[in-house]
């Protein structure tokens, strides 16, 4: 009998990601995941309903966002969202390699991409609800939440493909800063980047 090993759930998740990337999601079986993790199929089903749930298991992200929004200083809506998303960044950064493997699997499977979009939509709802709780009207809250999660998705994509390995929090801040300039005329945005104003020259 093989010696018992700790963290069966973590080993199952790691084994699944490796197999999904090596063989493809559809071609991988639960039996293969369990064998690579050195557990039984019964153990797999104690932790996951099916092999898809390994990719979409519940996590603390929504709770982290809700708590961060509730305790954020009374700032502009996108500022509060920036605060909440940067507070949530460690949820991903602590599992960076698994997160990158998971994203590669989802990118290769249209069906999984649809479920990922549904997950992002639930985060929009979390942020919108938190903003309404802070006193914003429904339309403003919904719009700010949509912009926030769209910016987060762009920041996330930059982070997982960043050869310089900047933090996810840095990418979130930069992307949301860029979103704030979307309604700013181009010459004003360029001036903001170099610290000057239109018609004002930098003085040495």
């Amino acid at each position: 009998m093989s010696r018992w090993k700790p963290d069966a759930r973590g080993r199952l998740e790691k084994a699944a990601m490796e197999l999904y990337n090596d063989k493809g999601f559809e071609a991988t079986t639960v039996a293969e995941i369990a064998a690579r993790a050195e557990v039984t199929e019964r153990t797999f089903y104690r932790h996951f309903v099916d092999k898809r749930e390994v990719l979409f298991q519940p996590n603390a992200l929504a709770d982290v966002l809700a708590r961060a929004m509730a305790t954020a200083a009374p700032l502009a809506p996108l500022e509060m969202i920036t605060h909440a998303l940067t507070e949530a960044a460690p949820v991903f950064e602590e599992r960076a390699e698994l997160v990158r493997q998971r994203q590669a699997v989802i990118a290769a499977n249209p069906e999984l991409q649809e479920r990922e979009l549904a997950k992002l939509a639930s985060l929009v709802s979390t942020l919108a609800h938190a903003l309404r709780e802070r006193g914003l009207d429904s339309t403003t809250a919904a719009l700010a939440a949509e912009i926030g999660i769209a910016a987060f998705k762009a920041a996330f994509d930059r982070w997982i493909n960043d050869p310089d390995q900047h933090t996810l929090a840095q990418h979130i801040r930069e992307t949301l800063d860029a979103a704030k300039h979307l309604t700013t005329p181009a010459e004003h945005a360029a001036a903001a980047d170099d610290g000057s104003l239109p018609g004002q020259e930098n003085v040495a």
Side-chain angles (χ1 to χ4, degrees):
M1 182 179 293
S2 61
R3 184 179 178 183
W4 177 83
K5 295 181 180 179
D7 191 24
R9 186 183 183 92
R11 287 186 291 116
L12 282 164
E13 187 176 7
K14 181 175 183 293
M17 295 303 172
E18 291 172 351
L19 286 165
Y20 294 164
N21 279 287
D22 290 345
K23 297 185 59 176
F25 174 78
E26 293 295 341
T28 299
T29 66
V30 168
E32 290 171 325
I33 295 170
R36 179 169 290 204
E38 299 182 48
V39 300
T40 64
E41 288 185 59
R42 179 179 297 178
T43 299
F44 177 94
Y45 286 115
R46 279 207 299 267
H47 293 282
F48 305 104
V49 173
D50 55 28
K51 65 179 186 176
R52 186 175 284 103
E53 192 187 354
V54 180
L55 296 164
F56 296 99
Q57 56 187 294
N59 58 46
L61 181 57
D63 290 339
V64 172
L65 289 176
R67 285 196 301 271
M69 290 293 290
T71 58
L75 303 169
L78 284 182
E79 294 288 351
M80 288 192 286
I81 287 174
T82 299
H83 166 76
L85 290 172
T86 53
E87 286 289 301
V91 172
F92 299 94
E93 292 173 333
E94 290 165 3
R95 296 156 40 88
E97 185 53 36
L98 281 176
V99 167
R100 289 185 172 93
Q101 290 179 342
R102 173 187 179 276
Q103 203 62 24
V105 175
I106 291 172
N109 292 270
E111 179 185 348
L112 298 178
Q113 291 168 28
E114 290 183 10
R115 185 158 178 179
E116 180 76 345
L117 289 174
K119 184 175 181 179
L120 291 173
S122 73
L123 296 179
V124 171
S125 296
T126 296
L127 290 178
H129 175 76
L131 288 170
R132 291 195 300 272
E133 290 289 302
R134 298 296 300 262
L136 267 71
D137 65 273
S138 296
T139 300
T140 302
L143 181 59
E146 290 280 2
I147 293 171
I149 292 303
F152 169 75
K153 185 177 183 301
F156 181 84
D157 290 343
R158 289 176 60 195
W159 173 62
I160 63 174
N161 295 297
D162 183 3
D164 297 322
Q165 298 185 332
H166 294 121
T167 66
L168 176 57
Q170 180 177 339
H171 282 299
I172 289 169
R173 284 191 292 268
E174 290 175 353
T175 306
L176 276 159
D177 281 344
K180 295 169 194 172
H181 293 303
L182 290 178
T183 58
T184 304
E187 64 272 17
H188 288 249
D193 288 339
D194 66 15
S196 64
L197 296 172
Q200 180 182 61
E201 296 180 356
N202 290 325
V203 179

